[in-house]
Structures are given as C-alpha cells and as structure tokens.
Amino acid sequence: MNTVIGLAWQRVWRTGPLVSRIVAAIGGGYAVAALASVAVLALPISRPQAVLTGMLASFAIYTCAVIWVFAVRSAWRAWAGLAAVALPLWAAAWTVWSAGASA
C-alpha cells in the first residue's frame, strides 16, 4: 500500500511543475495581456487609437508570456516573472479604472 501511495506522490511531484507552468501560461499570460490592453489607455493618445493599440499588443504580449513561462528554469521563476510584469501594468490599469469611475 505504501508503494502505491509513494508512486502516486512521485508522479505528482514530477508533473506538478509542468501543470503549474501550463496554468501560468494560460491564466497568467491572459492576465498580463488583459492588464496591458487596459494600461495602454493611460497613454497620452486618442482613446480609439489606445484601444486598437492595446488590442493588437495584447496578442504579442500573450505570446511572449507563454514563451517566457516555458523558457525559464523553474515554475517559480515563471510565476515571479509574470508577477513582476503584472504589478506595474496593474498600477497603470488602476489609474484608468479609477479615472473611469469618477468620470
């Protein structure tokens, strides 16, 4: 019985980082791309131009995030890199959201 449980834990231990990277690529990449598409609205350009720029840039940003997640050495670095990119984008997007709420 212990060997079956031990083998199951070994499988989880081996596949855990891969599953974490997949979740980071799909969910984290989407979050970074979405934040970037909103953060572009904080730039001093016309609103229609900012919307188009953010929409087009989000495809490239999502692709780069997916490549980044699988290029780094560990799943921890993948998540840390996504968080490091997401924090300034979140701050810029927050300015857009708070300005939209008061307008």
Side-chain angles (χ1 to χ4, degrees), residues 33-90:
L35 284 171
S37 67
V38 173
V40 169
L41 294 171
L43 294 174
I45 57 177
S46 68
R47 197 148 180 95
Q49 185 67 34
V51 169
L52 287 174
T53 302
M55 188 172 57
L56 290 174
S58 69
F59 292 107
I61 291 167
Y62 186 78
T63 303
C64 290
V66 170
I67 291 170
W68 162 261
V69 164
F70 288 104
V72 295
R73 289 185 181 198
S74 68
W76 288 106
R77 287 186 185 189
W79 282 105
L82 289 174
V85 171
L87 285 175
L89 290 174
W90 181 80

Side-chain angles (χ1 to χ4, degrees), residues 5 18 20 24 26 30 43 79 87 92 94-95:
I5 294 172
L18 177 63
S20 178
I26 295 170
Y30 178 80
L43 294 174
W79 282 105
L87 285 175
W94 182 259
T95 61

